[in-house]
Amino acid sequence: MPAPAPAAAAEDWRVNDVLTSSLLVLLALLAAGGLLQWRLLRRRRRQQRLRREGWRLVHELKAYSAWIESLRGEPSPSAEPEELTSAQALRNARAIAQAWFPELGQVMLRLLRTDSLLMAHLWQQKLLRLSEPSEWLPYQRDPGYWQIRDGQEDLIEEIIARCQVLTGERGQPWHGTDLDSDFLGPMSALPTGPVR
């Protein structure tokens, strides 16, 4: 058998080189595409989880607000003045914010402070009602109570608005997060503002 001509051998080598380099480029493109798709999927899952946690945070904040309304101006029956504690919903909201929304730390701290102020105010009013009934005001007409409660509701709405931005849902209304009858259920008959 005759030896292949040098020109034919060079031509075969170039074809093999082109095929090999094309195959390597194709494999590199497939790997890059797979990596990009994996990163996009991972990012989408994280965004979905962040959105879910945002909804949980909003729910816990509104449950806390409903709990405060259900107290009807009385301190929590399970707490003594020395151990003022917030509702479980507020503790849950704080845990969610710490784990998923550290950017909300300062505003959550302000909400915790207003909770302490409100509990202290409720205990003071209860003691006043027991010791000086003529000086006591029901919570519906108590301007101090409503100043604290309005501040709490403003903070809750601020947290919700910031949470919407952090979850990428800015501009989209989150229905059912206000103190409405769907959220409160049987507590919907509670007054939601001062009686003048």
Side-chain angles (χ1 to χ4, degrees):
M1 203 156 159
E11 186 68 29
D12 287 344
W13 185 80
R14 271 188 242 149
V15 168
N16 283 340
D17 190 37
V18 168
L19 288 175
T20 303
S21 60
S22 296
L23 185 59
L24 289 176
V25 167
L26 180 62
L27 287 175
L29 287 174
L30 286 174
L35 180 63
L36 180 63
Q37 186 176 10
W38 175 76
R39 290 188 70 169
L40 289 173
L41 180 63
R42 191 171 146 199
R43 182 176 179 198
R44 187 178 318 129
R45 284 184 180 159
R46 171 139 174 78
Q47 191 65 26
Q48 288 171 343
R49 178 74 193 264
L50 192 65
R51 191 171 290 126
R52 265 194 319 273
E53 295 302 322
W55 278 100
R56 279 187 55 221
L57 176 61
V58 169
H59 177 78
E60 293 295 342
L61 288 170
K62 291 304 179 173
Y64 165 72
S65 187
W67 177 77
I68 291 292
E69 291 295 327
S70 74
L71 293 177
R72 295 181 181 252
E74 290 289 323
S76 175
S78 62
E80 294 298 321
E82 297 81 29
E83 24 178 82
L84 295 176
T85 60
S86 58
Q88 181 64 43
L90 185 57
R91 289 191 294 273
N92 293 346
R94 184 174 143 239
I96 294 166
Q98 284 177 333
W100 289 93
F101 305 100
E103 303 89 345
L104 299 176
Q106 290 301 313
V107 71
M108 286 298 296
L109 181 60
R110 290 188 351 241
L111 183 60
L112 290 168
R113 284 182 186 147
T114 61
D115 178 69
S116 294
L117 285 173
L118 182 65
M119 291 300 125
H121 181 80
L122 293 177
W123 276 105
Q124 288 171 353
Q125 287 299 307
K126 183 173 186 170
L127 292 175
L128 187 61
R129 185 181 71 204
L130 295 174
S131 64
E132 302 282 335
S134 61
E135 301 292 318
W136 172 76
L137 285 174
Y139 80 101
Q140 298 94 333
R141 293 190 309 240
D142 181 357
Y145 173 84
W146 288 108
Q147 181 181 5
I148 297 169
R149 279 297 293 137
D150 290 343
Q152 279 185 325
E153 288 303 314
D154 291 344
L155 285 170
I156 288 171
E157 292 304 317
E158 179 183 342
I159 293 168
I160 290 171
R162 290 178 66 186
C163 186
Q164 284 179 307
V165 171
L166 292 171
T167 60
E169 301 231 2
R170 181 180 12 196
Q172 299 177 8
W174 285 12
H175 299 288
T177 58
D178 202 3
L179 285 176
D180 57 24
S181 59
D182 291 338
F183 187 80
L184 290 173
M187 293 188 292
S188 62
L190 297 174
T192 58
V195 175
R196 308 246 186 239

